[in-house]
Amino acid sequence: MLMVRCDIDATWHGFMNVLLIICFEFTPIHFPNKQTPIFQTHPDHFIQTNTMNNSSKLNSVFYAHSYHPIQAGSIDGTDILPHDNAVYRALLCSSAGLYDPFGDPNVIGEDPYCTLFVGRLSRLTTEDTLRKAMSKYGAVKNMRLVRHIVTGASQGYAFVEYESEREMQRAYEKAHHSVIDDSEIIVDYNRQQLMPGWIPRRLGGGLGGKKESGQLRFGGRERPFRAPLRPIPLDDLKRLGIPPPPEGNYMSRFEIPSPPRRKRSHSDREDKHSRSRRRSSSRDHSYNERRSVDAEGRSRKRDPSYDERQSADADGGSRKSHRHDRSYHYDEHERRSNSRDRRYDEREDNSRKSRDSRRHDRTSSSHDDHLRSDSRRSGDREQRSHKRHR
């Protein structure tokens, strides 16, 4: 055993110089491809490695996917003993099965995947105010503001059910830490029905809490577990049935944890495909109906006697009258097309005549100009010859 004495200046912590005595043994580390053992001889390697690991875990957190009372009372999720009497009470209820999360008659909503928990509400907030505030994120189907059973006063939390899971997801992401009646609220999913092993606050469980009570609960969205800086007692956690921290899969403090999603079965996927096919067929049918209505409207605008024929048909016109109307419509169409052809031919004839007349005018004018120029040139020649003779 080798004793090494070293002084470490820890002024950056605000403490005085500390005398550390580090005891270690020369431990050979064998590699499969090496013949000679390599010895670790410097203890600063351990200090630097631990410091780097601790600094990287300062902003790392993880969230509870199942509820255990002892773990909920631990700041890093590694405690193996209860630290207050409420944890003992919650552990007793959990082990004895005294709480049934699905046996509460006051639970609202039929779908827990579309239900949100809203906490830290103002005592003055009413159902109308809460519904108006939460309707910004989707259509609210049901809502329950929890009140005292005797006095009827608000207990400061509520449950809101939306029409779809997508609207619930939108409210879960955007309504957290919003302000209602000068009070900053928190939003979480329905842990009572979706979190395995859930124990409510009135039985010593729950999440959150106040520092003044000394009964803080960790693992939720508002107060998650911190990445442990001390060794993790994996054997003890396994013996107690506590899920260990996810080493290497920690999240950042600023990331939003996703709520549990509904598990899709093969039948659900088939139903989804059938619904999509029905929606597409209904869209095609409605599109065809709109096209027929538009065509009918256009024909009504073109034919002023359309309303008269429609009223005659509504009064009980026979099949013969329908055939007559169709023939009349066909004849009318033929007459209009013939009249359009005649007008087109007349316009073509007129344009052809106008082009010929303009061409003739241009040729005649050019001929006259040519004659005038010839006469001028002949007159000039005569004058020059007369001057020459003189």
Side-chain angles (χ1 to χ4, degrees):
M1 182 74 68
L2 176 65
M3 308 294 294
V4 179
R5 195 180 192 87
C6 62
D7 292 333
I8 299 178
D9 188 7
T11 55
W12 59 283
H13 279 298
F15 298 104
M16 298 179 64
N17 293 336
V18 186
L19 183 65
L20 298 179
I21 301 177
I22 303 175
C23 302
F24 66 96
E25 297 181 0
F26 285 97
T27 305
I29 302 176
H30 295 278
F31 294 91
N33 296 329
K34 298 292 183 179
Q35 298 293 334
T36 306
I38 300 177
F39 296 90
Q40 294 179 348
T41 57
H42 204 286
D44 292 342
H45 172 73
F46 298 102
I47 298 175
Q48 294 175 1
T49 303
N50 293 333
T51 304
M52 292 176 62
N53 292 335
N54 294 341
S55 62
S56 64
K57 291 182 179 180
L58 289 178
N59 291 324
S60 300
V61 298
F62 66 99
Y63 299 87
H65 299 288
S66 61
Y67 193 84
H68 195 282
I70 297 179
Q71 187 184 32
S74 173
I75 192 172
D76 58 359
T78 60
D79 286 359
I80 58 176
L81 293 175
H83 72 279
D84 58 51
N85 294 329
V87 174
Y88 275 110
R89 189 168 68 251
L91 187 62
L92 176 62
C93 294
S94 177
S95 59
L98 301 179
Y99 175 71
D100 182 14
F102 298 95
D104 190 355
N106 296 323
V107 173
I108 66 160
E110 301 174 356
D111 192 354
Y113 291 94
C114 299
T115 306
L116 281 179
F117 167 81
V118 183
R120 297 184 184 176
L121 291 171
S122 173
R123 305 292 177 172
L124 303 177
T125 301
T126 61
E127 285 83 354
D128 296 336
T129 305
L130 182 60
R131 183 182 292 273
K132 182 179 179 181
M134 301 304 291
S135 297
K136 296 187 295 183
Y137 312 103
V140 177
K141 184 178 181 181
N142 291 314
M143 189 186 66
R144 175 195 171 206
L145 180 62
V146 180
R147 296 183 176 275
H148 194 271
I149 192 173
V150 177
T151 62
S154 173
Q155 295 292 92
Y157 65 96
F159 294 92
V160 180
E161 183 187 7
Y162 285 92
E163 292 286 348
S164 64
E165 192 172 351
R166 181 178 298 178
E167 294 172 338
M168 174 265 181
Q169 182 78 20
R170 186 186 303 117
Y172 176 81
E173 294 176 357
K174 296 183 179 180
H176 191 55
H177 287 172
S178 60
V179 178
I180 300 177
D181 289 339
D182 298 331
S183 180
E184 185 178 358
I185 66 172
I186 60 173
V187 174
D188 205 349
Y189 67 90
N190 189 6
R191 295 181 182 268
Q192 177 179 352
Q193 296 180 342
L194 297 180
M195 192 173 194
W198 173 256
I199 299 296
R201 186 70 179 179
R202 66 178 183 271
L203 298 178
L207 295 173
K210 296 182 180 179
K211 295 181 179 180
E212 294 81 5
S213 63
Q215 296 180 1
L216 294 178
R217 299 293 181 265
F218 300 88
R221 184 179 184 183
E222 185 65 15
R223 191 174 283 116
F225 294 121
R226 298 180 184 178
L229 303 178
R230 58 185 179 180
I232 302 174
L234 295 177
D235 296 335
D236 295 332
L237 294 179
K238 184 177 181 181
R239 177 175 53 84
L240 294 173
I242 300 175
E247 294 185 280
N249 293 324
Y250 296 116
M251 298 177 61
S252 173
R253 184 65 179 87
F254 307 102
E255 295 183 42
I256 300 176
S258 59
R261 300 295 183 90
R262 193 193 312 272
K263 294 181 179 180
R264 304 289 183 180
S265 62
H266 182 68
S267 60
D268 293 337
R269 287 194 293 269
E270 290 182 352
D271 293 340
K272 183 178 179 180
H273 290 313
S274 63
R275 286 196 300 270
S276 63
R277 286 195 297 269
R278 285 197 297 270
R279 284 197 297 268
S280 62
S281 62
S282 63
R283 284 196 299 268
D284 295 339
H285 182 66
S286 60
Y287 176 72
N288 294 330
E289 287 182 353
R290 286 197 301 271
R291 288 194 61 182
S292 62
V293 170
D294 295 338
E296 185 179 353
R298 287 194 297 269
S299 64
R300 184 182 301 176
K301 289 180 181 179
R302 288 196 299 267
D303 193 1
S305 63
Y306 180 80
D307 295 333
E308 297 177 359
R309 292 198 302 274
Q310 287 295 106
S311 61
D313 294 341
D315 292 339
S318 62
R319 188 178 304 173
K320 183 176 179 180
S321 64
H322 284 292
R323 286 198 300 269
H324 177 71
D325 292 337
R326 285 197 296 270
S327 62
Y328 171 78
H329 184 71
Y330 179 76
D331 296 339
E332 184 68 20
H333 180 70
E334 288 292 327
R335 284 195 296 272
R336 290 179 181 178
S337 62
N338 294 331
S339 63
R340 283 197 297 269
D341 295 337
R342 286 195 299 272
R343 286 196 298 270
Y344 179 76
D345 295 337
E346 290 176 358
R347 285 197 299 270
E348 286 293 323
D349 295 337
N350 294 331
S351 62
R352 191 180 303 108
K353 290 178 181 180
S354 62
R355 284 197 301 270
D356 294 341
S357 63
R358 285 196 298 271
R359 190 180 302 110
H360 179 71
D361 293 340
R362 283 197 300 271
T363 54
S364 61
S365 61
S366 63
H367 182 67
D368 296 339
D369 294 338
H370 183 67
L371 291 177
R372 283 196 295 271
S373 62
D374 291 341
S375 63
R376 282 198 299 270
R377 282 196 297 271
S378 62
D380 293 339
R381 282 197 299 271
E382 290 177 358
Q383 289 178 2
R384 284 196 297 271
S385 64
H386 184 67
K387 287 179 182 180
R388 230 185 276 116
H389 289 297
R390 295 170 89 182

